[in-house]
Amino acid sequence: MGKKRGLNVLFAASEALPFAKTGGLGDVAGGLPRALAEAGCSVAVLLPLYGCIDKNKLQKTGTTITVMISGRPYIGTLYKKEIFPGVTHWFLHQPELYFSRPNIYGDQNGDYPDNDARFIFFNRALAEFPTAAGFHPAVVHVNDWHLGLVPLYLKLLPEGHPLRGVPTVFSIHNLAYQGAFPRESYPLTGLPEKYFSAEGVESWGKIGFMKTGILFADAVTAVSPTYAKEILGKELGFGLEKTLNQRKKSLSGILNGIDADDWNPATDKHLPAAYSAKKMAGKAKCRDALLKKYGLQDVPGRAVIGIVSRMVEQKGFDLITAAEKDLMKLNIALVVLGTGQPKYEDGLRALAKKYPGRVGLTIGYDEALAHLIEAGSDMFLMPSHFEPCGLNQMFSLRYGTVPVVRATGGLADTVVNWQPEKKKGNGFLFKSATSQALLAVVKKAVKTFANKKEWDRIVQNGMAEDHSWRKSADKYLALYHTLV
Ligand code: ADP
Ligand code: GLC
């Protein structure tokens, strides 16, 4: 197959590195546009200008976008910045609709109550972006519920509009968050009344952003092949399985990549020592630094297990809690970084108190520490109930930290069980979502850890893999070409 031509791509998300991130979506919206540019595309990334983004470091364009909402004009101003050749980041500034608040989605009181108004404005503004910015895309690629209304808006554009007929790709990152809002907000969408129906935006009686994206996009992607299949079933379809099955022919799974520059143990600026597959000595120094940071004892044969995660149901903290007594009977130390639901934070605080010298805990969000935990741990635990893709297992593989994961979504697509007889595999998987199964797999991993020769082989197998964005970006580009 010949090399695919680059295209003009308008890419929009609610978060993107290096400007705003709460989770994996921010990583993806940071890395994929860059990889698309490296593959020859010209990419405009559109983001809301949140208060956490420093306006003074951006270029004010003076260009505005006006959206009429309930008969009143709302004006957004565009800022921009080019940090990578081929990618221009555009920021929509609209303080009146509260993009200027410091956080992206909410605060200590929960989600902002007007997230519907905020993101309806953002979705509607996107349609006017090409004219305002003078950027004419061949494809519009939007992500997760926050941009879910865009495919429908584009379908309804009048003859002669620059985006009319431009195909849309809608990527699902997590079906557990659907952007479902009260019907009362429907007038804000400016959509004709008849679209509030089962064939339109209505989802279980509410305005469904995610549902609309799935229904009206020209192509729908999920962030891993396994997740693309799982969401067709009741358990992981979260009520949208019918809509997804309706679009089955246009649904595919493309695995995320990782930013191979940010996540490279040979150049990682957050680490006390560098290392690579050929020169592993630095990893032991990172491990020492991690143990020292938390005052953890180093006992011969002890396996350091790292976790960096949002502390929510999805990530399987209930399984860890249920298994903790038995887990702590093994020769392990646990290092956990994350924030989330108070019950999990409190549970882990109690565990750290009960096992001083064996459990290191940081409740919070800390980019540098996430890197140290990836580098300094022997294993990385992700017992997720579901995981659309997951990035930490891929960071772990690159850092020679053996992933121990539940076989679901992207975890099942990236982690291969260690088979000693064949010397193949890069980690350890368990299937059933029970504390017993979790305990059994950790036991197996800890036992294997005692065999240095075998362990080194698993580490090397993982480090030899390439999870950079290149292959995935090529798949998106091939998909774009089927649509244009
Ligand atoms: P999700 O998006 O569901 O949270 P992913 O595995 O796709 O899961 O991505 C999570 C991203 O957020 C990773 O880059 C991970 O390192 C990062 N992350 C999660 N929690 C924290 C934290 N407390 N501190 C620093 N980084 C974190
Ligand atoms: C979501 C998913 C995670 C995925 C990320 C990026 O937050 O929970 O599994 O890696 O999106 O696609």
Side-chain angles (χ1 to χ4, degrees):
M1 200 171 60
K3 204 168 163 24
K4 295 277 186 195
R5 251 177 331 106
L7 298 168
N8 275 6
V9 182
L10 170 54
F11 188 94
S14 56
E15 50 182 276
L17 278 177
F19 300 102
K21 166 178 160 179
T22 65
L25 175 61
D27 292 279
V28 172
L32 174 56
R34 212 171 132 164
L36 287 168
E38 277 165 357
C41 293
S42 173
V43 191
V45 180
L46 183 62
L47 292 166
L49 208 169
Y50 303 110
C52 57
I53 302 173
D54 185 356
K55 269 213 308 297
N56 300 319
K57 294 196 174 137
L58 312 174
Q59 181 189 338
K60 191 172 182 178
T61 67
T63 311
T64 59
I65 292 178
T66 303
V67 182
M68 292 299 289
I69 296 179
S70 306
R72 234 205 81 177
Y74 286 82
I75 300 168
T77 316
L78 284 174
Y79 285 67
K80 70 173 180 177
K81 184 155 180 115
E82 199 182 312
I83 47 166
F84 187 78
V87 185
T88 305
H89 284 86
W90 296 82
F91 303 86
L92 188 63
H93 185 46
Q94 220 300 338
E96 200 177 3
L97 281 163
Y98 319 114
F99 281 148
S100 298
R101 291 174 208 157
N103 300 329
I104 303 181
Y105 309 116
D107 54 23
Q108 67 283 0
N109 301 317
D111 286 347
Y112 293 134
D114 54 357
N115 273 348
D116 46 4
R118 297 169 80 224
F119 286 103
I120 286 170
F121 170 76
F122 190 53
N123 279 251
R124 296 182 67 179
L126 182 141
E128 304 314 321
F129 171 79
T131 308
F135 179 86
H136 295 284
V139 178
V140 174
H141 185 167
V142 292
N143 293 275
D144 255 359
W145 74 258
H146 321 94
L147 273 309
L149 300 185
V150 166
L152 175 58
Y153 282 129
L154 298 206
K155 287 269 176 301
L156 298 177
L157 291 174
E159 201 76 60
H161 189 286
L163 279 184
R164 189 174 153 113
V166 173
T168 51
V169 175
F170 180 67
S171 293
I172 302 170
H173 295 262
N174 195 340
L175 217 52
Y177 305 91
Q178 297 190 0
F181 295 103
R183 196 206 189 296
E184 291 68 48
S185 300
Y186 191 68
L188 302 178
T189 65
L191 289 165
E193 196 53 38
K194 69 169 187 202
Y195 282 95
F196 192 86
S197 65
E199 297 74 41
V201 307
E202 191 260 327
S203 180
W204 302 100
K206 293 188 164 182
I207 304 169
F209 275 61
M210 182 70 97
K211 184 226 171 172
T212 306
I214 295 167
L215 202 52
F216 291 96
D218 294 294
V220 180
T221 68
V223 289
S224 69
T226 295
Y227 191 58
K229 287 191 205 116
E230 288 171 339
I231 55 180
L232 295 172
K234 200 168 164 30
E235 195 194 344
L236 292 184
F238 286 95
L240 293 187
E241 59 275 10
K242 221 175 112 205
T243 310
L244 284 156
N245 276 287
Q246 211 178 317
R247 296 304 319 279
K248 201 172 158 184
K249 284 205 180 100
S250 306
L251 170 68
S252 60
I254 302 179
L255 199 66
N256 289 332
I258 59 168
D259 188 319
D261 295 331
D262 267 5
W263 291 95
N264 179 358
T267 54
D268 192 328
K269 58 181 187 303
H270 301 298
L271 303 184
Y275 64 95
S276 64
K278 284 204 186 103
K279 285 173 91 173
M280 289 295 282
K283 186 166 171 72
K285 287 193 186 143
C286 295
R287 188 179 185 275
D288 287 345
L290 185 65
L291 295 179
K292 196 163 164 231
K293 177 180 164 61
Y294 289 106
L296 302 178
Q297 306 142 0
D298 198 6
V299 174
R302 179 157 292 181
V304 179
I305 304 182
I307 298 178
V308 178
S309 178
R310 291 185 293 120
M311 291 173 178
V312 295
E313 229 82 78
Q314 171 189 345
K315 305 293 181 178
F317 282 95
D318 57 327
L319 302 182
I320 298 175
T321 308
E324 68 184 33
K325 232 169 111 195
D326 292 322
L327 281 174
M328 294 315 291
K329 288 183 190 149
L330 305 174
N331 190 11
I332 62 165
L334 205 57
V335 178
V336 188
L337 165 65
T339 52
Q341 285 169 242
K343 64 173 174 183
Y344 298 128
E345 292 185 354
D346 292 345
L348 286 160
R349 278 192 195 100
L351 188 71
K353 206 166 158 200
K354 192 161 163 203
Y355 296 95
R358 292 196 55 202
V359 178
L361 173 69
T362 299
I363 300 291
Y365 189 92
D366 186 334
E367 192 81 32
L369 184 54
H371 285 247
L372 181 65
I373 294 175
E374 279 292 2
S377 304
D378 300 305
M379 308 174 188
F380 197 93
L381 185 60
M382 296 176 78
S384 306
H385 287 283
F386 65 94
E387 197 61 77
C389 180
L391 300 174
N392 279 102
Q393 81 280 14
M394 294 191 273
F395 302 155
S396 299
L397 290 167
R398 189 123 205 261
Y399 279 62
T401 303
V402 174
V404 179
V405 308
R406 187 158 170 265
T408 178
L411 298 174
D413 290 335
T414 50
V415 180
V416 181
N417 239 334
W418 169 240
Q419 298 161 269
E421 57 300 338
K422 293 189 187 150
K423 298 197 172 51
K424 283 201 172 134
N426 59 14
F428 295 87
L429 292 153
F430 69 107
K431 278 212 169 76
S432 108
T434 60
S435 56
Q436 293 90 328
L438 167 66
L439 183 65
V441 79
V442 176
K443 262 189 188 159
K444 195 165 134 201
V446 170
K447 195 165 163 225
T448 312
F449 180 68
N451 181 333
K452 185 155 170 25
K453 211 170 145 212
E454 276 198 28
W455 196 259
D456 285 347
R457 184 60 191 253
I458 307 173
V459 166
Q460 290 292 329
N461 284 354
M463 291 183 93
E465 294 175 5
D466 176 7
H467 291 282
S468 68
W469 268 107
R470 199 179 36 84
K471 275 183 278 172
S472 309
D474 282 348
K475 289 194 178 139
Y476 279 107
L477 191 51
L479 174 67
Y480 300 160
H481 275 282
T482 64
L483 304 173
V484 296

